[in-house]
Amino acid sequence: MFHPRRTPRRTPGRTPRLATRRTIKALLLPLAAGLALTALPATSAQAASTLTNGGFEADGSGAAVPNGWSEYGSTAASYVEAGGHGGSYRLSHYSASAYKVETYQYLSGLTNGNYKLTAWVRSGGGQNSAYIALKNCGSSEQRTDLPVSASGWIRIVVPIAVTNNQCTISINSDANAGNWINVDDLTFASGTGGVPVKGADISSLVKSEAKGGVYKTSSGTTSDALTILKNSGMNYARVKVWVNPADGYSNKARVLAIAKRIKAQGMKLLVDFHYSDTWADPGAQSKPAAWAGHSYSQLKTDVYNHTYDVLNALKAQGTTADMVQVGNEINGGMLWSEGSTDNWSQLAGLLNSGYDAVKAVNSGTTVALHLAKGGDLSGTRWWFDSAVSNGVKFDVIGLSYYGYWHGSLYDFQTTLDDAASRYGKPVYVAETAYPFRLDSEDSHENIIDLSSELVSGYPASTAGQSAWFRDILNIVEAVPNGRGLGVFYWEATWTAVTGNGWDPTDASSGNGWENQALFGYDEKALPAMTWFSHR
């Protein structure tokens, strides 16, 4: 995480949506208020054992009802038009008036088992709901909402267990006037979905509690923050470790204490080594004071010994780390200047010292390398190409992705997918977050506090925060070949508590992050937290 400076957001390139629209000749027939688009016939004339016309190429532009598909509701709002993802055409939902429409296809004669629908989508946002569902399959209906992406196509998946030899593929819009979606290149095949890691960074929690921080369930019952998070579905906790921080928090002793609580909740543990006494990120990778003036050779030993010491102590108390980050947002390297990316052979030596220490304590612990700028394809390629060519050892790739700084969702998916395929490694989001409001609870200016800083289609509201977390999880789930490991929401518990500010050297410093935590200004768990339980 960039700290504590406000970092300018790179404005992602946007191209206007194709203006071509089929001339709607039929009058819009709106559904009665509250009518849900769920009623489907038991059978359909389009019933088939395989998906028909998943690319919407069979009819050409202007088809009111695509071949192989059926429609329900405001049917004039569903049609085929030019401008496909892989071919010439796509399905669109659009109307100049409010509408509810479902475009669906019924499949029968399926062999029971696990299936996964894959689709490429775009959306201008603003709908009450816009999603693709698999239903009437014998198991619980599964849905994936369309992320807001007005130009770049985004891949999403919907997994399902078919237990009754049939399934209905359903594309739904409950939309306001002028809202639109595009859908194309659907495939339905054997496969599974979900992500194994649904985590959060809770590094601020111990200090918050010591300074009087309180956490409540969504109904207002005061409880342990970890219990609330676990009951919401969180299964992995990330904690940073500094070498000798001025405030005495996020050090070895504090990490050992919180690790016991994390493991007692049945969660897994990710330890994030900053190799500093304070924040390490792309703008700052300062050495710990105790290592100042050490030679490069000694720094390699320092990294090994510190990493081994913390992890071995965790193992000795029965809380072995499940994953370790050797460095935090190390785009420019670490332990500057010796470990700068200006000297890749030396940086490789430092990273491998950390890797070797992790494996010496426990060979089964996963070692991650973590970069910021999760939408920077060229920068991510350059860094990991350099790491590989210099013999750096690692198991998985972590990327920070904040949509207000790191490019569009299209940029993010492109970078994440490329990293997974190019290096043959699982990938995860090491950090993401989004504001549920813009005003500050304390006197410190929030890092994101202007509407101009927000991602288009995601308001600073509890609904906007929920949609952001949901869509990031869905994009990671869609990484090909099952390489999407999961997501960590950054600093879920960092609420505004006097004394728990961003600067470990200044007890009066404030918190610029409370409007992006997963607990509100009333200390209650926010709706976004429920997405830990998603698949």
Side-chain angles (χ1 to χ4, degrees):
M1 168 63 197
F2 293 106
H3 251 282
R5 299 163 298 282
R6 180 187 305 282
T7 304
R9 175 171 64 91
R10 179 170 69 86
T11 302
R14 296 279 189 190
T15 56
R17 180 175 181 261
L18 291 176
T20 302
R21 294 284 185 196
R22 179 178 69 90
T23 302
I24 300 176
K25 297 181 180 179
L27 294 175
L28 181 64
L29 299 175
L31 294 177
L35 180 61
L37 301 178
T38 56
L40 289 174
T43 59
S44 166
Q46 285 75 34
S49 60
T50 58
L51 180 64
T52 300
N53 193 23
F56 303 100
E57 298 294 310
D59 307 288
S61 185
V65 181
N67 181 55
W69 296 84
S70 300
E71 294 174 345
Y72 180 71
S74 307
T75 57
S78 173
Y79 51 90
V80 175
E81 64 179 345
H85 167 259
S88 299
Y89 305 103
R90 68 198 183 200
L91 175 73
S92 291
H93 286 180
Y94 168 82
S95 175
S97 303
Y99 62 96
K100 294 182 181 180
V101 68
E102 178 178 31
T103 308
Y104 66 93
Q105 186 170 153
Y106 168 72
L107 303 180
S108 63
L110 297 173
T111 301
N112 288 338
N114 293 317
Y115 289 83
K116 183 165 64 176
L117 177 79
T118 301
W120 289 89
V121 301
R122 300 193 301 189
S123 171
Q127 299 90 346
N128 300 313
S129 63
Y131 61 89
I132 299 179
L134 297 177
K135 57 187 182 180
N136 307 324
C137 310
S139 59
S140 298
E141 177 179 329
Q142 294 295 316
R143 296 183 179 184
T144 300
D145 294 85
L146 273 63
V148 181
S149 180
S151 55
W153 289 90
I154 302 291
R155 183 198 316 102
I156 61 172
V157 299
V158 192
I160 195 74
V162 173
T163 62
N164 61 354
N165 305 111
Q166 64 182 23
C167 197
T168 299
I169 298 167
S170 175
I171 303 166
N172 287 265
S173 292
D174 178 355
N176 301 300
N179 294 160
W180 61 269
I181 67 170
N182 301 149
V183 179
D184 202 4
D185 293 338
L186 288 87
T187 59
F188 185 75
S190 297
T192 57
V195 293
V197 174
K198 290 168 280 191
D201 191 299
I202 49 111
S203 297
S204 64
L205 178 59
V206 173
K207 189 174 181 179
S208 174
E209 292 171 332
K211 302 296 181 181
V214 174
Y215 299 89
K216 300 178 181 180
T217 65
S218 59
S219 62
T221 302
T222 300
S223 183
D224 176 74
L226 284 176
T227 300
I228 296 170
L229 289 161
K230 171 62 185 300
N231 289 343
S232 296
M234 180 173 138
N235 64 10
Y236 227 118
R238 177 183 188 252
V239 292
K240 69 175 179 285
V241 59
W242 290 333
V243 177
N244 187 25
D247 63 358
Y249 289 90
S250 292
N251 60 10
K252 174 186 172 183
R254 304 287 187 178
V255 168
L256 288 171
I258 193 64
K260 290 182 179 180
R261 294 172 56 189
I262 291 167
K263 292 287 188 169
Q265 293 285 348
M267 297 182 189
K268 291 187 176 182
L269 172 65
L270 165 56
V271 179
D272 175 21
F273 283 89
H274 281 230
Y275 301 112
S276 181
D277 293 333
T278 187
W279 301 100
D281 59 44
Q285 294 282 340
S286 57
K287 296 187 192 74
W291 304 358
H294 285 190
S295 66
Y296 167 67
S297 178
Q298 182 61 48
L299 287 172
K300 286 199 296 182
T301 301
D302 292 334
V303 168
Y304 186 96
N305 289 344
H306 172 60
T307 306
Y308 187 93
D309 179 50
V310 172
L311 297 179
N312 195 50
L314 285 167
K315 180 181 179 181
Q317 70 173 17
T319 59
T320 300
D322 299 283
M323 191 188 308
V324 168
Q325 286 182 199
V326 177
N328 185 77
E329 295 189 328
I330 51 177
N331 301 59
M334 65 184 196
L335 294 168
W336 289 346
S337 60
E338 286 82 357
S340 165
T341 51
D342 290 337
N343 191 331
W344 257 103
S345 63
Q346 290 193 173
L347 174 57
L350 294 170
L351 294 172
N352 283 339
S353 284
Y355 179 96
D356 291 343
V358 175
K359 298 299 185 178
V361 173
N362 181 52
S363 61
T365 296
T366 300
V367 177
L369 296 180
H370 169 210
L371 300 187
K373 305 181 181 179
D376 181 4
L377 175 62
S378 61
T380 302
R381 276 186 173 182
W382 172 83
W383 200 96
F384 278 100
D385 282 356
S386 299
V388 170
S389 66
N390 281 276
V392 176
K393 295 175 284 187
F394 61 100
D395 302 321
V396 300
I397 292 170
L399 298 175
S400 293
Y401 176 65
Y402 297 97
Y404 36 73
W405 292 327
H406 297 156
S408 69
L409 288 172
Y410 170 80
D411 296 329
F412 165 56
Q413 183 172 74
T414 301
T415 304
L416 196 68
D417 289 355
D418 184 78
S421 63
R422 189 176 182 88
Y423 308 105
K425 303 287 188 181
V427 293
Y428 70 101
V429 177
E431 299 180 17
T432 193
Y434 205 76
F436 60 91
R437 58 196 294 172
L438 292 175
D439 61 312
S440 182
E441 188 179 7
D442 61 15
S443 60
H444 190 78
E445 180 186 15
N446 288 335
I447 291 176
I448 300 298
D449 62 356
L450 300 174
S451 58
S452 60
E453 296 172 311
L454 299 175
V455 180
S456 178
Y458 297 90
S461 64
T462 56
Q465 184 188 55
S466 293
W468 181 260
F469 191 28
R470 175 200 73 202
D471 292 348
I472 296 302
L473 282 163
N474 287 339
I475 287 173
V476 174
E477 181 184 25
V479 174
N481 300 311
R483 290 193 176 120
L485 194 57
V487 178
F488 288 89
Y489 192 97
W490 196 73
E491 282 290 11
T493 59
W494 201 6
T495 54
V497 175
T498 302
N500 190 22
W502 68 268
D503 187 354
T505 69
D506 181 3
S508 66
S509 65
N511 172 12
W513 203 257
E514 72 269 19
N515 68 325
Q516 300 195 62
L518 291 183
F519 291 86
Y521 290 5
D522 58 1
E523 286 80 46
K524 293 181 183 179
L526 293 169
M529 200 182 294
T530 63
W531 285 98
F532 284 124
S533 295
H534 182 53
R535 291 205 279 268

